[in-house]
Amino acid sequence: MGRKKVEIKRIEDKHSRQVTFSKRRKGLLKKAKELSILCDADVAVIVFSNRGRLYDFSSTNSLTEIVQRYHSHVEAEKESSAEVLDTEHSKYASFMTVRELLQTVERQLEEPVVDYLSVTDLVQLENQLQTALMQARSSKTHLMIESIKSLGEKEKLLCEENKHLENQIATTKNKREVNNGMALDFTNLAPASMNCRQPKATLNFL
Amino acid sequence: MGRKKVEIKRIEDKHSRQVTFSKRRKGLLKKAKELSILCDADVAVIVFSNRGRLYDFSSTNSLTEIVQRYHSHVEAEKESSAEVLDTEHSKYASFMTVRELLQTVERQLEEPVVDYLSVTDLVQLENQLQTALMQARSSKTHLMIESIKSLGEKEKLLCEENKHLENQIATTKNKREVNNGMALDFTNLAPASMNCRQPKATLNFL
DNA sequence: CACCCTATTTATAATTT
DNA sequence: TAAATTATAAATAGGGT
């Protein structure tokens, strides 16, 4: 219903799509309202724009009411097809959360700020920033990993040397005892914390 | 749009109401579908007739998807309007946001996210990303520092123990030599790398 | 009920402001 | 760029089968 008949398929032109979305969304919500009033029906409409903005209508106080009614209705004839859909769904949910984040962000910006930079400029800047950040972080991580590795190896070597020394001492002590009955007690030489079999701190976060 | 203009109020005649319900319900669902296709939007419609019969439409496989999205959306809004000072929670939220962002980016290589965003949105998003990044990085750094500290302390203790043991051995050896001329050479026992006075790796980058 | 018919209203695509 | 206008397509009220 317009100057020209439109085929029902995704409108590729961004601007047209946005304009049409605005008009038809309004129309849909109006129709929903009219239906609920004229025919005394409960109607709920949820619309997410492709940018994740939410528009809704509910004939009752809260849309949730109708949704709950919907659930209890569907519950009866529900089948167990949750397994595979669960993974898909959680992916979808995460994805949507981003959109919602963006929307929230949009909302929080009440005042439209004058744009000094073009999107391209900004993207470029952001990319540079990101790259710099990544590089710095990468270098840092690398250094830290090296430090940890190095310290770990040092620890290992020290432990081994330690054992070696203990063995030497034990041998010496035994010989001494055999030779001239001299007794030295090394039992408590190593601090309790020096147990080399102690589990390492988890480094999975690297 | 009919032979006569109708006032938007409950149709009292039962038959008329039923007929209108049938027609308009069909129209509403059709419009919902068209909107979702034309404008690439997610749309869900739930209609209960006044006699309790359910009719619905969903642009996705399952209407529940959209409903859940709606709920998480409402949650998010509540959250952002409520106090944002729950440190632990907001940390977690930011972290998840980053993950989701990465997922989105991965998935939408064809149609860059940037196209959907205004410059101001992008700035906000970037800030959030930065914050989330900082938090994640901070946590990671903290863990790494703790690891390094812990390993450093361990090293120190091992070195001390080492020295202690060496002293013990030296003493034993001297006594042995004095007592019965027995000679044991421990000079090369410790590997070259085990010099405990070796400068530590620089950690200034932290 | 669920269709058809068709006059009329309504929604909206294209255009203008 | 968005809001208003206009020409046209679509929806539908009321009637009939």
Side-chain angles (χ1 to χ4, degrees), chain A residues 1 10 24 31 34 40 42 48 89 92 103 107 137 155 161-162 165 172 176 189 206, chain B residues 1 10 24 31 34 40 42 44 48 68 73 77 115 133 144 154 161-162 165 172 176 189:
Chain A
M1 38 204 167
R10 182 190 145 98
R24 282 182 171 259
K31 290 261 175 213
E34 291 181 355
D40 195 23
D42 270 350
F48 281 101
H89 185 267
Y92 188 69
Q103 185 178 1
R107 287 250 172 91
R137 192 165 45 163
E155 180 197 358
E161 184 190 357
N162 207 314
L165 289 170
T172 307
R176 170 87 46 91
L189 193 70
L206 299 175
Chain B
M1 38 203 163
R10 181 189 146 98
R24 281 181 172 259
K31 289 263 179 211
E34 291 182 355
D40 195 24
D42 271 349
F48 281 101
Q68 289 196 356
H73 199 282
E77 242 173 44
D115 278 354
L133 242 156
M144 291 180 107
K154 213 179 242 179
E161 184 191 358
N162 207 314
L165 287 170
T172 307
R176 171 86 48 89
L189 193 70

Side-chain angles (χ1 to χ4, degrees), chain A residues 1 7-11 14 17 20-21 24 28 31-32 34-35 37-48 50-52 54 56 63 66-67 69-70 73 89 91-92 94-107 109 113 119 122 129-130 133 137 140-141 143-144 147-148 151 154-155 157-158 161-162 164-166 168-169 172 175-176 182 186 189-190 193-194 198 201 203 205-206, chain B residues 1 7-11 17 20-21 24 28 31-32 34-35 37-48 50 52 54 56 63-70 72-73 77 80 97 100-101 103-104 107-108 111 114-117 119-121 123-126 128 130 133 137 140-141 143-144 147-148 151 154-155 157-158 161-162 164-166 168-169 172 175-176 182 186 189-190 193-194 201 203 205-206:
Chain A
M1 38 204 167
E7 201 187 338
I8 302 301
K9 66 171 189 185
R10 182 190 145 98
I11 298 169
K14 225 168 139 183
R17 193 170 63 228
T20 295
F21 177 71
R24 282 182 171 259
L28 183 69
K31 290 261 175 213
E34 291 181 355
L35 178 63
I37 294 173
L38 287 168
C39 306
D40 195 23
D42 270 350
V43 182
V45 178
I46 299 171
V47 179
F48 281 101
N50 59 4
R51 288 170 52 177
L54 169 67
D56 63 359
L63 195 148
I66 298 175
V67 166
R69 195 171 162 196
Y70 169 81
H73 217 276
H89 185 267
K91 273 184 191 173
Y92 188 69
S94 312
F95 176 64
M96 284 318 150
T97 304
V98 173
R99 287 188 163 177
E100 285 150 16
L101 170 73
L102 298 182
Q103 185 178 1
T104 305
V105 164
E106 262 181 26
R107 287 250 172 91
L109 292 171
V113 180
V119 173
L122 199 62
L129 185 62
Q130 279 302 102
L133 240 157
R137 192 165 45 163
K140 184 175 122 181
T141 302
L143 280 173
M144 292 181 108
S147 278
I148 290 174
L151 285 168
K154 214 179 240 179
E155 180 197 358
L157 286 169
L158 282 168
E161 184 190 357
N162 207 314
H164 198 154
L165 289 170
E166 281 184 30
Q168 293 286 1
I169 288 163
T172 307
K175 282 192 185 165
R176 170 87 46 91
M182 180 178 173
F186 291 114
L189 193 70
S193 68
M194 282 300 101
Q198 182 180 327
L203 293 177
F205 57 83
L206 299 175
Chain B
M1 38 203 163
E7 202 187 337
I8 302 301
K9 65 172 189 184
R10 181 189 146 98
I11 297 169
R17 192 169 65 228
T20 296
F21 177 70
R24 281 181 172 259
L28 183 69
K31 289 263 179 211
E34 291 182 355
L35 179 63
I37 294 173
L38 287 169
C39 305
D40 195 24
D42 271 349
V43 182
V45 178
I46 300 172
V47 179
F48 281 101
N50 57 3
L54 168 68
D56 66 352
L63 195 147
T64 309
E65 257 178 51
I66 297 175
V67 166
Q68 289 196 356
R69 190 175 164 195
Y70 171 81
S72 58
H73 199 282
E77 242 173 44
S80 69
T97 301
E100 286 154 13
L101 176 73
Q103 283 177 349
T104 309
R107 226 168 280 169
Q108 294 206 330
E111 207 162 352
V114 170
D115 278 354
Y116 293 128
L117 300 173
V119 172
T120 34
D121 292 344
V123 170
Q124 278 293 98
L125 182 63
E126 192 195 353
Q128 293 207 356
Q130 280 301 104
L133 242 156
R137 194 165 42 162
K140 187 174 118 180
T141 303
L143 281 173
M144 291 180 107
S147 278
I148 289 174
L151 285 168
K154 213 179 242 179
E155 181 198 356
L157 286 170
L158 281 168
E161 184 191 358
N162 207 314
H164 198 155
L165 287 170
E166 280 185 31
Q168 293 287 1
I169 287 164
T172 307
K175 282 192 184 166
R176 171 86 48 89
M182 180 175 170
F186 290 114
L189 193 70
S193 67
M194 282 301 97
L203 292 179
F205 57 85
L206 299 176

Side-chain angles (χ1 to χ4, degrees), chain B residues 77-92:
Chain B
E77 242 173 44
K78 270 188 204 160
E79 232 173 73
S80 69
S81 63
E83 311 305 317
V84 196
L85 288 172
D86 186 351
T87 334
E88 284 313 305
H89 192 272
S90 58
K91 264 187 192 173
Y92 185 70

